[in-house]
Amino acid sequence: MAYGFNGKFLRVDLSSSKISVEERRESFYRKYFGGRCVIAYYLLRELKPGIDPLSPENILIFAPGVITGAPIAGSGRSSVGAKSPLTGAYGEAEAGGFFGAELKRAGFDGIIIKGKAKHPVYLWVHDGEAEIRDARHLWGLDTGESQEIIRKELGDKLIRTAQIGKAGENMVRFACVIHDLRDAAGRVGMGAVMGSKNLKAIAVRGHRSVEVADPEKLRELSKWLLDNLDKTGTLHQFGTGAMMTSHVLSGNLPTRNFRDGEFPNPEGISAQRIAETVRIGMEGCFACPIRCKKVVKFEEPWSVDPIYGGPEYETLAALGSNCGIDDLKAICKAHELCQRYSLDTISTGATIAFAMECYENGLITKEDTGGIDLTFGNAEAMLKMIELIAMREGIGDVLAEGVKRAAEKIGKGAEKYAVHVKGEEVPMHDPRLKRGLSLGYAVFPTGADHNNNLHDTDVRSFPALGIFEEVPLEDLGPRKVRLFVYFTNWRVISNSLLMCNFLPWVTNPRQLTEIVRAVTGWDTSAFELYKLGERSMNLTRAFNVREGFTPKDDRLPPRFFKPQTSGPLSKTAVDPEKLEKAKELYYRMMGWNPDTGAPTMEKLAELDILWVADEVKTNVREDLD
Amino acid sequence: MAYGFNGKFLRVDLSSSKISVEERRESFYRKYFGGRCVIAYYLLRELKPGIDPLSPENILIFAPGVITGAPIAGSGRSSVGAKSPLTGAYGEAEAGGFFGAELKRAGFDGIIIKGKAKHPVYLWVHDGEAEIRDARHLWGLDTGESQEIIRKELGDKLIRTAQIGKAGENMVRFACVIHDLRDAAGRVGMGAVMGSKNLKAIAVRGHRSVEVADPEKLRELSKWLLDNLDKTGTLHQFGTGAMMTSHVLSGNLPTRNFRDGEFPNPEGISAQRIAETVRIGMEGCFACPIRCKKVVKFEEPWSVDPIYGGPEYETLAALGSNCGIDDLKAICKAHELCQRYSLDTISTGATIAFAMECYENGLITKEDTGGIDLTFGNAEAMLKMIELIAMREGIGDVLAEGVKRAAEKIGKGAEKYAVHVKGEEVPMHDPRLKRGLSLGYAVFPTGADHNNNLHDTDVRSFPALGIFEEVPLEDLGPRKVRLFVYFTNWRVISNSLLMCNFLPWVTNPRQLTEIVRAVTGWDTSAFELYKLGERSMNLTRAFNVREGFTPKDDRLPPRFFKPQTSGPLSKTAVDPEKLEKAKELYYRMMGWNPDTGAPTMEKLAELDILWVADEVKTNVREDLD
């Protein structure tokens, strides 16, 4: 009896319309677990290096993990991966909701999609079977319309979907994959890869329940969670975005393209204000009692449809303060448009903020914008830009390439306003405040990532892993690097287990270990899970090395080496020399060659993935193999 | 409230007769835990490099650990450490019994002894106090007599002792420390260091109970142990030495100085035979229900006093088969003599076996032995040699130096019969059978060590740490090195926690983690404990590097590169090239410089012991500190 996995991956070749099922043994799941690790495994094994991410040669992978779909809070997430069209590096994004659990219930542990369909199609996966269906009638539709038609034509209202809207179809490089209209696998352009394959949607329905090894233990853990939920009361009450004022006071709220440190009305774009005004309810993910997801609805001055949920903190900051906007309804509308069109709200907001700063500095003119006054704070302009980007119209076609490529096209020194790492727009936390982020943004495989990063305003120690003495916020020396390594290697477990980072498991290795044990029946330990995190980091690092990435690519945008123009961080910036030293120490602690950034043979051997050595020739010693 | 430690170390300067108490905070205990880690800490901090181990400059440390004395099976052990007079390297040995628990109950977490007393003394430690007492009347006495007098003059029959007999007094380089007459901290000459300090004994008595954070959980874990004790039934029934026949059949039973592979009567020296003949009972250690320790008694042809317990497997093999002897009573008498005189039975047997082979090959003559016919199998000769060694009389004075130095003194190529690593005689398991041992013997800090080694006849995987696929016995490639690294880093935890390796915790990280948590109240994990193991390995490695040890010292004696003369291993030997490759990979996986064998700065930083970098200058980069 297998617990936690079906033993089956669905393989789809859109070019030949062939569908097959690949069987996998338990040892595969215990080594790679799911999500990021499984995606990196297949990309390293099967993707040709150097291909264009928007060509049919790219491989798109949907993968939940071994605990996904088990009856325990936080197990609803799922991953989407491919070579990223935004960064050219390893690409992967996760979404909450129900899709991953439904895929497991449908009998599969993942979907591996190759090639490109001759015309728009969607994939219908249900109870161990799959078929490729015509989607020409769906192409061009918003995700909401498209989902409704799919559910109707398949005759099941409980079908779960992963879809793209116009932005994905138009291969906007930061198009996302929208799950059930609300949950975005947001970052690094996985929606553009769907679009490049003429794949409008994946519809999933399953009736097999996910068997677990020790249901009694899972119930006990659920009870532990409920007993400890007071700590996450804010999340339950408001969702993300309830700390806007403190973010402004610390300097963490990105304002006007990370330029400024003062934002006059943070409460106006807060989760509390949403609760007081436009919110009509809260929703949750599979098996989760926290229900942290806002649902907003209003009719004036724009109509916002509640089927698209509501904005998270990242969205409120990216399309709000980072664009100098404090018009809450405009931000909510912007969020809804992004869900309709399948746009990553972070990259969308960051790209518009970049364009606004270019505009204010004369690098983009009214002629370029088609008459739009693209100044910071102009909510209407922001909304209009979203439309242009999704449709790739006018200046939107340039911005749809992301800030890195847009800056190259605009020229005239626009690069200095392009706040990105490896091409990925920086999310809504300032590394001038959080030293851990400065290192994390620089080195993470997908680019500037906030989910798997060390927010050292909140995390100063990690007693359960043996770091019991607090490391000061401003430290970027060996102790901070150690904390960073331990914390992030632990945190990235969530990319392979697909456990939600909002649940307290992330800092409670004991409980997370117990969950994995209860679901799979494996006699696992915090040590084994930590090694899973390391394996994930090494596989994705190896992917990037194979694509030609070097330590030079692990760098911050110049903006963070200078203080904010005003506010609490007007005298503080990241010290580039300290960051370089921390980076080198990070490589060494990770078991990577500090000159190439590549995993060493001994680290690959220690993680039992020595096959990866063939993929990163550098530093591989044949005589030791 | 502190659980698991007293916060106090007793410091004794025998030269000045000064006694003081050092206070330590919780962070010290959580980082170093106890035993080996604490000993290595103090030796690195306070011992001058390059000193003569038998000079007053050596530091002798007695250290239990944070769980020692807690009411849970296996927590009775304690460590003794110093620079080894046998190897010149880091020296440490552990003993079971009650001494460690009593020391904790007396209010101390360890004793740090410096200098040399002007005349023989003993140390009396009781309930937070200590005094140095005259021991001139004890000098020269057997441990049994000495203990009786100490208990009588202090008026307490429940006093626990750590003592030396004549061998320790005479600074036999492999003299051990005898605890309560039965439990030997056997290896690498800690008894000789006691002798060099004129320290006859330490007597301990305490009435404070060791407070634990979660007594209920400890009871639950004790119940788990009892429920799982069937697996260790042989240990309970017979103690060690119950597998003699299978050892012969596999080639693992060292025979005639590791030369031969056939031993005609293994059952005759087995624990079963002991049970049928001379055994009068079984005894146990503090809080342990297993009671694996034999007690033997007989009057003919020699009188054997049961106060000295009975022989373990290592003793039965070292003084039995390895000397070609199958006279069970002679072995039991030899064991009793070693306890009386404080001789390590492994080194004693190995040294006599070495002398026997020298004798049979004409390198030692009857003139040298004073007329003794020192042939393999001569039990009377073996018993006589023990006396000579302990008294340092005649040829015994040469052999008291251990096989390495004895071979140098004897010359004439005697070195090829000296089966040792770094000067430590090899224990009773053959690396020609167990590939893991070949690596372990070579690289361990104290020399040839069997306790913390990978006996890969028994251990092929370690699922709880993520090694779920079996590694073949004959493999010495990357997968075996990985298993070796994980298993031994885990196993050496027992040197710092002082948890008995015979308990099933060693392969059940979950339970061991729970024990530490229940005793200390720390929210620990298998990961933190594994890092403790790594910290222990790095501290001891650093000590040896500072003393000038290099990878060249991490080598096996030549005997193991050739097959046994007969029996199952007559065609198998350790491949020196494969061993060298495994050694290099081991260094790399451990985070050590493969050229120097020294811990890298990044590994020290990762383990939060960057201060050690000052002690091992090699490979330390100042700019990263």
Side-chain angles (χ1 to χ4, degrees):
Chain A
M1 179 76 194
Y3 297 107
F5 59 91
N6 293 297
K8 286 178 184 165
F9 280 79
L10 184 65
R11 280 186 176 273
V12 179
D13 185 334
L14 293 172
S15 298
S16 65
S17 300
K18 273 188 190 154
I19 289 177
S20 61
V21 174
E22 174 174 280
E23 302 207 344
R24 284 286 184 181
R25 287 189 298 180
E26 184 165 19
S27 58
F28 178 82
Y29 295 92
R30 183 135 187 199
K31 191 186 281 189
Y32 300 104
F33 282 73
R36 181 169 287 204
C37 249
V38 161
I39 291 166
Y41 171 86
Y42 279 108
L43 291 183
L44 278 165
R45 287 287 200 195
E46 301 186 10
L47 190 78
K48 204 174 117 194
I51 59 114
D52 176 357
L54 295 175
S55 74
E57 290 177 291
N58 206 351
I59 303 174
L60 181 69
I61 301 167
F62 288 76
V66 292
I67 60 174
T68 309
I72 186 83
S75 73
R77 295 177 73 77
S78 189
S79 268
V80 192
K83 178 173 175 177
S84 165
L86 193 62
T87 65
Y90 176 80
E92 188 252 341
E94 298 117 55
F98 299 82
F99 184 86
E102 197 72 25
L103 185 57
K104 292 281 287 285
R105 291 165 59 89
F108 296 106
D109 304 312
I111 310 175
I112 301 155
I113 301 164
K114 296 185 176 182
K116 178 184 179 179
K118 285 183 191 71
H119 58 73
V121 296
Y122 75 95
L123 185 65
W124 167 222
V125 182
H126 52 105
D127 294 318
E129 291 177 30
E131 89 190 81
I132 298 167
R133 292 174 64 99
D134 198 335
R136 277 176 285 197
H137 58 304
L138 305 175
W139 207 250
L141 298 184
D142 289 353
T143 52
E145 302 163 335
S146 168
Q147 177 175 280
E148 200 181 338
I149 295 172
I150 289 172
R151 286 180 170 175
K152 198 169 282 177
E153 72 187 30
L154 296 175
D156 191 338
K157 281 186 179 174
L158 293 174
I159 281 168
R160 303 294 174 180
T161 62
Q163 293 185 99
I164 53 171
K166 283 220 183 67
E169 296 172 13
N170 291 330
M171 290 181 273
V172 173
R173 284 187 189 268
F174 47 86
C176 65
V177 179
I178 296 287
H179 296 68
D180 301 339
L181 312 187
R182 275 179 1 181
D183 304 302
R187 310 233 59 201
V188 292
M190 297 300 100
V193 178
M194 270 186 92
S196 75
K197 295 190 173 306
N198 264 332
L199 181 64
K200 175 71 177 176
I202 298 178
V204 177
R205 186 75 170 105
H207 296 83
R208 170 189 180 283
S209 72
V210 174
E211 299 284 341
V212 302
D214 189 348
E216 181 54 42
K217 183 75 191 173
L218 272 191
R219 276 191 289 275
E220 192 185 298
L221 286 157
S222 291
K223 191 181 169 308
W224 178 89
L225 179 71
L226 288 172
D227 291 346
N228 286 271
L229 259 187
D230 282 344
K231 292 171 194 162
T232 53
T234 307
L235 207 55
H236 179 60
Q237 258 187 288
F238 300 109
T240 61
M243 323 277 275
M244 286 298 181
T245 301
S246 70
H247 280 319
V248 169
L249 291 174
S250 67
N252 191 51
L253 187 73
T255 303
R256 297 175 206 89
N257 199 30
F258 284 94
R259 187 187 67 191
D260 305 336
E262 284 168 316
F263 187 73
N265 183 21
E267 282 308 309
I269 61 168
S270 70
Q272 291 89 335
R273 184 62 54 83
I274 292 175
E276 292 158 14
T277 56
V278 294
R279 205 176 84 181
I280 60 162
M282 295 291 275
E283 290 182 343
C285 296
F286 175 81
C288 187
I290 297 185
R291 299 176 62 81
C292 71
K293 289 169 175 281
K294 314 166 190 71
V295 181
V296 305
K297 179 178 189 296
F298 53 89
E299 298 295 336
E300 297 292 339
W302 311 274
S303 162
V304 165
D305 190 334
I307 60 171
Y308 295 107
E312 302 289 343
Y313 166 74
E314 294 292 325
T315 307
L316 292 164
L319 293 155
S321 58
N322 205 39
C323 290
I325 290 168
D326 65 358
D327 180 335
L328 186 60
K329 285 189 167 181
I331 300 169
C332 290
K333 181 63 190 176
H335 167 261
E336 187 226 45
L337 291 176
C338 287
Q339 304 301 100
R340 285 180 184 275
Y341 300 146
S342 69
L343 280 169
D344 173 34
T345 58
I346 298 173
S347 285
T348 302
T351 301
I352 293 170
F354 157 80
M356 285 172 164
E357 193 167 3
C358 286
Y359 182 85
E360 291 201 348
N361 285 280
L363 278 62
I364 293 174
T365 64
K366 219 170 228 176
E367 204 173 322
D368 299 317
T369 64
I372 298 167
D373 184 31
L374 197 55
T375 50
F376 282 121
N378 186 340
E380 285 284 358
M382 180 268 288
L383 290 170
K384 184 66 190 159
M385 293 310 291
I386 293 177
E387 302 276 355
L388 293 178
I389 288 169
M391 311 307 157
R392 276 192 177 269
E393 280 174 17
I395 185 84
D397 192 38
V398 176
L399 298 179
E401 295 289 289
V403 298
K404 183 185 167 205
R405 288 177 177 80
E408 285 162 10
K409 283 195 184 167
I410 292 164
K412 304 176 233 171
E415 212 172 301
K416 66 174 170 289
Y417 307 129
V419 186
H420 71 89
V421 177
K422 297 184 179 68
E424 187 187 30
E425 291 75 18
V426 173
M428 298 299 117
H429 305 271
D430 200 306
R432 285 168 291 199
L433 173 69
K434 303 178 180 177
R435 285 290 170 278
L437 293 193
S438 69
L439 180 55
Y441 284 161
V443 302
F444 278 156
T446 53
D449 183 291
H450 65 290
N451 273 322
N452 303 298
N453 217 322
L454 178 71
H455 294 256
D456 40 5
T457 42
D458 308 320
V459 180
R460 301 279 172 88
S461 63
F462 200 161
L465 297 191
I467 301 179
F468 44 86
E469 289 169 316
E470 295 220 330
V471 184
L473 178 59
E474 62 278 9
D475 189 354
L476 198 55
R479 280 174 187 240
K480 179 59 68 67
V481 176
R482 175 182 180 234
L483 176 63
F484 178 86
V485 167
Y486 281 21
F487 185 80
T488 57
N489 278 345
W490 183 261
R491 185 132 191 172
V492 295
I493 294 168
S494 59
N495 285 320
S496 294
L497 289 179
L498 277 310
M499 171 53 78
C500 178
N501 274 331
F502 285 169
L503 275 297
W505 324 122
V506 71
T507 48
N508 285 283
R510 177 154 56 140
Q511 279 74 28
L512 187 56
T513 305
E514 289 297 324
I515 291 171
V516 176
R517 199 194 323 265
V519 172
T520 62
W522 299 334
D523 177 25
T524 187
S525 65
F527 179 84
E528 183 181 6
L529 293 186
Y530 184 92
K531 289 292 157 185
L532 166 67
E534 279 197 75
R535 198 173 288 120
S536 155
M537 288 303 291
N538 276 271
L539 290 169
T540 50
R541 167 70 43 168
F543 181 91
N544 285 0
V545 169
R546 192 176 70 171
E547 291 290 336
F549 284 78
T550 75
K552 282 187 188 148
D553 299 298
D554 289 346
R555 53 152 198 77
L556 284 192
R559 176 135 285 178
F560 298 128
F561 300 127
K562 289 188 179 158
Q564 294 175 0
T565 56
S566 60
L569 299 181
S570 62
K571 290 197 169 64
T572 314
V574 178
D575 180 326
E577 280 182 33
K578 282 186 184 166
L579 180 59
E580 278 302 303
K581 275 188 193 171
K583 202 175 97 179
E584 186 184 335
L585 184 54
Y586 171 73
Y587 291 158
R588 290 176 182 271
M589 277 196 198
M590 290 296 287
W592 298 344
N593 181 323
D595 300 322
T596 63
T600 56
M601 189 281 309
E602 56 267 24
K603 179 49 78 179
L604 297 175
E606 194 231 298
L607 298 170
D608 199 22
I609 48 172
L610 204 42
W611 61 268
V612 174
D614 292 337
E615 307 301 330
V616 283
K617 297 280 188 284
T618 31
N619 210 47
V620 173
R621 295 187 42 166
E622 281 175 16
D623 61 342
L624 278 167
D625 198 351
Chain B
M1 179 73 196
Y3 298 107
F5 60 91
N6 293 297
K8 285 178 183 162
F9 280 80
L10 184 65
R11 279 185 176 272
V12 179
D13 185 333
L14 293 173
S15 299
S16 66
S17 300
K18 274 188 189 151
I19 289 177
S20 62
V21 174
E22 174 174 282
E23 302 207 345
R24 284 286 184 179
R25 286 190 297 183
E26 184 166 19
S27 58
F28 178 82
Y29 295 92
R30 183 134 187 201
K31 193 188 279 188
Y32 300 104
F33 283 71
R36 180 169 288 205
C37 249
V38 161
I39 292 166
Y41 172 86
Y42 279 108
L43 292 183
L44 279 165
R45 286 286 198 196
E46 302 187 10
L47 190 78
K48 205 175 116 196
I51 58 115
D52 176 356
L54 295 176
S55 75
E57 291 177 291
N58 205 352
I59 303 174
L60 181 68
I61 301 166
F62 288 76
V66 292
I67 61 173
T68 308
I72 184 86
S75 74
R77 295 176 72 78
S78 188
S79 268
V80 191
K83 179 172 173 178
S84 165
L86 193 62
T87 64
Y90 175 80
E92 188 251 344
E94 299 117 54
F98 298 83
F99 184 87
E102 198 71 26
L103 185 59
K104 292 281 286 286
R105 289 165 59 91
F108 296 106
D109 304 313
I111 309 175
I112 301 156
I113 302 163
K114 296 185 177 182
K116 178 184 177 176
K118 284 182 193 71
H119 58 72
V121 297
Y122 74 95
L123 185 65
W124 167 223
V125 182
H126 53 106
D127 292 319
E129 292 178 28
E131 91 190 79
I132 298 167
R133 294 175 64 98
D134 197 335
R136 277 175 286 196
H137 58 306
L138 304 175
W139 206 250
L141 297 185
D142 287 355
T143 51
E145 301 161 337
S146 168
Q147 177 174 282
E148 201 182 336
I149 296 171
I150 289 172
R151 285 181 172 175
K152 200 168 282 177
E153 73 186 31
L154 295 174
D156 191 337
K157 282 186 178 172
L158 293 174
I159 281 168
R160 302 295 175 178
T161 62
Q163 293 185 97
I164 54 170
K166 283 219 183 69
E169 296 173 13
N170 291 328
M171 291 182 271
V172 173
R173 285 188 188 267
F174 47 85
C176 66
V177 179
I178 296 288
H179 295 67
D180 302 339
L181 312 187
R182 275 180 1 184
D183 304 302
R187 311 232 59 203
V188 293
M190 296 300 100
V193 178
M194 270 186 92
S196 76
K197 296 190 172 306
N198 264 332
L199 181 62
K200 176 69 178 176
I202 299 176
V204 178
R205 187 74 170 104
H207 296 83
R208 170 190 181 281
S209 72
V210 174
E211 299 283 340
V212 302
D214 189 348
E216 181 54 42
K217 183 75 190 173
L218 271 192
R219 276 191 289 274
E220 192 185 297
L221 286 157
S222 293
K223 194 182 167 305
W224 178 87
L225 179 71
L226 288 172
D227 292 346
N228 287 269
L229 260 188
D230 283 345
K231 289 171 196 162
T232 54
T234 308
L235 208 53
H236 180 58
Q237 256 187 288
F238 300 109
T240 60
M243 322 277 273
M244 286 298 179
T245 302
S246 70
H247 280 319
V248 169
L249 291 174
S250 68
N252 191 51
L253 186 73
T255 302
R256 296 176 206 89
N257 200 31
F258 284 95
R259 187 187 67 191
D260 306 334
E262 285 169 313
F263 187 73
N265 184 20
E267 281 307 309
I269 61 168
S270 69
Q272 290 89 337
R273 183 61 54 83
I274 292 175
E276 292 158 13
T277 56
V278 294
R279 204 176 87 183
I280 60 162
M282 296 290 276
E283 290 183 344
C285 296
F286 176 82
C288 186
I290 295 185
R291 301 173 63 80
C292 72
K293 287 167 175 283
K294 311 167 194 74
V295 182
V296 305
K297 179 179 188 297
F298 52 91
E299 298 297 334
E300 297 291 341
W302 311 275
S303 162
V304 166
D305 192 334
I307 60 172
Y308 295 107
E312 301 287 346
Y313 165 73
E314 294 291 325
T315 307
L316 293 166
L319 292 156
S321 59
N322 206 37
C323 291
I325 290 169
D326 65 357
D327 180 336
L328 185 59
K329 285 189 167 182
I331 300 168
C332 289
K333 181 63 191 174
H335 167 261
E336 187 226 46
L337 291 176
C338 287
Q339 305 301 100
R340 285 181 185 274
Y341 300 146
S342 72
L343 280 170
D344 173 33
T345 57
I346 298 174
S347 285
T348 302
T351 302
I352 294 171
F354 157 80
M356 285 173 164
E357 192 168 4
C358 286
Y359 182 84
E360 292 200 347
N361 285 280
L363 279 61
I364 294 175
T365 64
K366 220 168 227 176
E367 205 174 325
D368 298 318
T369 63
I372 299 167
D373 184 33
L374 196 55
T375 49
F376 282 121
N378 186 339
E380 284 285 356
M382 179 267 288
L383 290 170
K384 185 65 191 160
M385 293 311 292
I386 293 177
E387 302 276 355
L388 295 178
I389 289 168
M391 310 308 157
R392 275 192 178 270
E393 281 174 17
I395 185 84
D397 191 39
V398 177
L399 298 179
E401 295 289 289
V403 299
K404 185 186 167 205
R405 287 176 177 82
E408 286 163 9
K409 285 196 183 168
I410 292 165
K412 305 176 235 173
E415 213 172 299
K416 65 176 170 289
Y417 307 129
V419 185
H420 72 89
V421 177
K422 297 183 180 68
E424 187 187 29
E425 290 75 19
V426 172
M428 299 298 114
H429 304 270
D430 201 306
R432 285 167 291 199
L433 174 68
K434 302 176 180 178
R435 286 291 171 279
L437 292 193
S438 69
L439 180 56
Y441 284 160
V443 302
F444 278 156
T446 54
D449 184 290
H450 65 290
N451 273 321
N452 304 297
N453 216 322
L454 177 70
H455 294 256
D456 41 6
T457 41
D458 307 320
V459 180
R460 303 279 171 86
S461 64
F462 200 161
L465 296 191
I467 301 180
F468 44 85
E469 287 168 320
E470 295 221 330
V471 184
L473 179 59
E474 63 278 9
D475 190 353
L476 198 56
R479 282 177 185 237
K480 178 59 68 68
V481 176
R482 173 182 183 237
L483 176 63
F484 178 86
V485 167
Y486 281 22
F487 185 80
T488 58
N489 278 345
W490 182 260
R491 185 131 192 175
V492 295
I493 294 167
S494 59
N495 285 320
S496 295
L497 289 178
L498 277 308
M499 172 52 80
C500 179
N501 275 331
F502 286 168
L503 275 297
W505 324 123
V506 70
T507 46
N508 285 284
R510 176 154 56 138
Q511 279 75 28
L512 187 57
T513 306
E514 289 297 325
I515 291 172
V516 176
R517 196 192 329 261
V519 172
T520 62
W522 299 335
D523 177 25
T524 186
S525 65
F527 179 84
E528 183 181 8
L529 292 186
Y530 184 93
K531 290 291 159 186
L532 166 65
E534 279 197 75
R535 198 173 287 120
S536 155
M537 289 303 292
N538 277 270
L539 290 169
T540 51
R541 167 71 42 170
F543 181 90
N544 285 359
V545 168
R546 191 175 70 170
E547 291 290 337
F549 284 78
T550 73
K552 281 186 189 150
D553 299 298
D554 290 347
R555 53 154 197 76
L556 283 193
R559 176 135 286 175
F560 297 128
F561 299 129
K562 289 189 179 158
Q564 295 175 358
T565 56
S566 60
L569 299 181
S570 62
K571 292 199 168 62
T572 315
V574 178
D575 180 326
E577 281 182 32
K578 282 187 184 165
L579 180 59
E580 278 303 303
K581 275 187 193 170
K583 202 175 97 180
E584 185 184 336
L585 183 54
Y586 172 73
Y587 291 157
R588 291 176 181 271
M589 277 196 197
M590 289 298 286
W592 298 345
N593 180 322
D595 298 322
T596 64
T600 56
M601 189 281 308
E602 57 267 24
K603 178 49 78 178
L604 297 174
E606 193 230 299
L607 298 170
D608 199 24
I609 47 172
L610 204 42
W611 60 270
V612 175
D614 292 337
E615 306 301 330
V616 284
K617 297 280 185 286
T618 32
N619 209 48
V620 173
R621 295 189 41 167
E622 282 174 16
D623 60 344
L624 279 166
D625 198 350

